[in-house]
Amino acid sequence: MRVIGTVAELQALADRERAAGAKIALVPTMGALHAGHRSLIDEARKRADRVWVSIFVNPDQFEDAADLERYPRTRDEDLQCCRDAGVDVVFAPECDEMQRPASPCWIEPGESAQPLCGRSRPGHFRAVATIVAKLLLAAKPHVAVFGEKDYQQLAVIRSMVRDLGFDVEIVGVPIVREADGLALSSRNVQLHPEARRQAVALVRALDAAEGAVASGDLDSARLLQRARAEIDKAPLARIDYVELCDAGSLGPIAETLDGSALLALAVYFDSPESDSPDGGARRAVRLIDNRVLDPRRAASAR
């Protein structure tokens, strides 16, 4: 496995691989790799001759400097994970290789970046779109693979690739979950043990809404109420948003579901008060999850 740190070296390798007729798949990550990332690598292997993984913690995606500082960085473990998975190249640049602070250039994403995380984290998807564009230009892949846990991110990237004419196929891979249903995330390790226990409220919320749709309840307000009620059972949970939107456009939906809808959740899980006995700030970890609710599929199953 080859580890590369500069854009120029990666681009030169991409040119050689393409000239030799090899198909390249890129898996962009921020490191702290887990089984969810492994599923992306496995999907990439099915679709290409060469599998490349990028590891770059993008500072511009973080609103809070403390959150950036806490984000897990496990380079040695990540490289071993890539070796075990048969990755051909790891692109692991330093910040100054990917950022040019003297003359910043940004990609402003379209409408799909406005709701959900775009509303609660202004500028987040501008940072995501810009760094993904740089990674695509550096690696020149035929295929790029992303996880569907970051549903809105996937939608933003697909829109950017389509609108700007990138010659790359964007592939989404279903969410990988832990045994109790919690979606795998690099942030899960940051949870206080009690917060980790309560975090399954997210999947309970998704299950409750999906179960209601399966039983014929298509009222959007009631579905949201059911989801919120499950999260409210977790004392350490603080809701950022619980929303339903069109699964394709991420735009508003009708009062009664008449097509596929995305139920999207973003919830902060605090550490217990006892974790800050001096009255200092309690550490919070923000988790996201989602599920597509399809009334037509539910009706055919009844």
Side-chain angles (χ1 to χ4, degrees):
M1 185 180 76
R2 185 170 176 180
V3 181
I4 292 176
T6 69
V7 169
E9 186 179 355
L10 193 70
Q11 287 177 328
L13 178 59
D15 289 341
R16 292 196 298 271
E17 293 283 23
R18 280 176 165 265
K23 186 174 183 180
I24 302 167
L26 176 67
V27 180
T29 82
M30 292 209 302
L33 304 184
H34 49 66
H37 295 107
R38 179 61 185 262
S39 74
L40 306 184
I41 294 170
D42 290 345
E43 183 64 29
R45 177 61 65 195
K46 297 175 186 176
R47 295 173 177 267
D49 306 301
R50 305 286 185 268
V51 175
W52 296 2
V53 171
S54 65
I55 298 175
F56 179 68
V57 179
N58 181 13
D60 295 319
Q61 290 180 219
F62 293 79
E63 299 171 284
D64 182 0
D67 188 27
L68 172 60
E69 183 66 24
R70 287 195 303 266
Y71 191 84
R73 292 165 175 81
T74 55
R75 179 184 171 91
D76 291 344
E77 293 86 345
D78 292 344
L79 292 179
Q80 188 58 51
C81 174
C82 289
R83 289 188 192 95
D84 293 343
V87 170
D88 300 289
V89 170
V90 172
F91 179 50
E94 299 295 333
C95 277
D96 59 2
E97 181 67 19
M98 298 301 291
Q99 296 176 306
R100 296 288 183 264
S103 56
C105 179
W106 299 97
I107 290 178
E108 293 289 350
E111 291 298 316
S112 59
Q114 301 310 309
L116 305 175
C117 288
R119 186 186 304 117
S120 64
R121 305 176 73 189
H124 173 74
F125 286 115
R126 180 178 81 158
V128 170
T130 300
I131 209 65
V132 169
K134 289 182 177 182
L135 290 170
L136 295 178
L137 291 169
K140 304 182 182 181
H142 300 81
V143 179
V145 183
F146 297 85
E148 292 179 354
K149 180 176 73 69
D150 297 288
Y151 191 102
Q152 186 176 16
Q153 173 180 277
L154 181 57
V156 168
I157 291 167
R158 281 178 166 151
S159 177
M160 177 192 73
V161 164
R162 180 182 64 248
D163 294 348
L164 297 183
F166 279 87
D167 184 19
V168 60
E169 177 187 4
I170 302 299
V171 174
V173 175
I175 298 171
V176 177
R177 298 184 178 275
E178 298 193 26
D180 60 1
L182 183 67
L184 283 173
S185 169
S186 300
R187 294 184 179 274
N188 289 355
V189 298
Q190 297 177 293
L191 291 165
H192 182 279
E194 178 57 22
R196 171 62 185 83
R197 186 184 69 81
Q198 294 185 23
V200 294
L202 293 177
V203 74
R204 288 203 308 265
L206 298 174
D207 288 343
E210 186 173 51
V213 170
S215 67
D217 187 355
L218 304 181
D219 183 271
S220 299
R222 282 199 299 270
L223 294 174
L224 291 173
Q225 185 178 26
R226 285 176 181 266
R228 283 179 170 271
E230 291 299 326
I231 296 171
D232 287 341
K233 293 176 183 178
L236 296 177
R238 289 185 291 116
I239 292 174
D240 182 357
Y241 62 75
V242 174
E243 294 190 36
L244 279 166
C245 57
D246 183 271
S249 68
L250 302 186
I253 60 169
E255 293 181 0
T256 302
L257 297 193
D258 57 1
S260 295
L262 176 74
L263 175 56
L265 317 175
V267 179
Y268 289 96
F269 285 90
D270 292 320
S271 57
E273 289 184 8
S274 59
D275 210 39
S276 300
D278 60 353
R282 294 160 64 189
R283 182 164 51 88
V285 179
R286 183 178 183 271
L287 301 181
I288 60 173
D289 206 341
N290 69 78
R291 188 167 300 170
V292 174
L293 307 178
D294 189 342
R296 290 165 296 194
R297 186 174 65 227
S300 66
R302 286 200 294 271

